Amino acid sequence: MEIDRIFLDLKVFVAKELTCVNIDLDPDEVSVRLIKVDGEGMIGDLEVEVNAYAFKERVKKKDEFCVNLTNYLTRTTGMRNVKTWLILSELGHSME
């Protein structure tokens, strides 16, 4: 998969795009997980879901984030049919 080669750059991009007044997100705080789907059923050649805390600024810019991420992935992977979603919610985590 083309995205394998851009893991680190993708983490930097997502951290920068999700940084807001309430939090300065570091690339080391971004987790990238790849799930390969065999068979039919996807609507894009590459589909990306980003889960993040729903800070007000992120909610306001959610569509802009998705467009920017889609453009970034299209440009860096060469894939044409990229679909992205930003899933904003209240999150808990195990990190101290």
Side-chain angles (χ1 to χ4, degrees), residues 2-45:
E2 289 293 320
I3 199 157
D4 291 347
R5 64 182 173 79
I6 64 162
F7 263 180
L8 297 177
D9 290 339
L10 179 58
K11 289 174 67 151
V12 170
F13 180 86
V14 168
K16 180 182 174 192
E17 288 288 312
L18 290 180
T19 288
C20 54
V21 173
N22 293 334
I23 188 168
D24 185 18
L25 194 59
D26 187 86
D28 291 335
E29 298 173 296
V30 173
S31 177
V32 174
R33 300 176 189 115
L34 290 182
I35 300 170
K36 185 177 184 325
V37 177
D38 292 326
E40 307 276 327
M42 292 181 48
I43 62 173
D45 296 328

Side-chain angles (χ1 to χ4, degrees), residues 14 26 29 35 44-45 50 54 59 66 71-74 76 78 85-86:
V14 168
D26 187 86
E29 298 173 296
I35 300 170
D45 296 328
V50 175
V59 171
C66 289
N71 290 339
Y72 172 80
L73 290 169
T74 299
T76 57
W85 293 269
L86 176 59

Side-chain angles (χ1 to χ4, degrees), residues 10 13-14 17 46-48 50 62-86:
L10 179 58
F13 180 86
V14 168
E17 288 288 312
L46 174 63
E47 296 184 22
V48 177
V50 175
K62 63 186 179 293
D63 292 330
E64 180 182 340
F65 171 85
C66 289
V67 168
N68 290 345
L69 180 57
T70 297
N71 290 339
Y72 172 80
L73 290 169
T74 299
R75 186 175 60 255
T76 57
T77 67
M79 297 174 125
R80 292 273 182 236
N81 189 14
V82 177
K83 306 294 184 197
T84 60
W85 293 269
L86 176 59

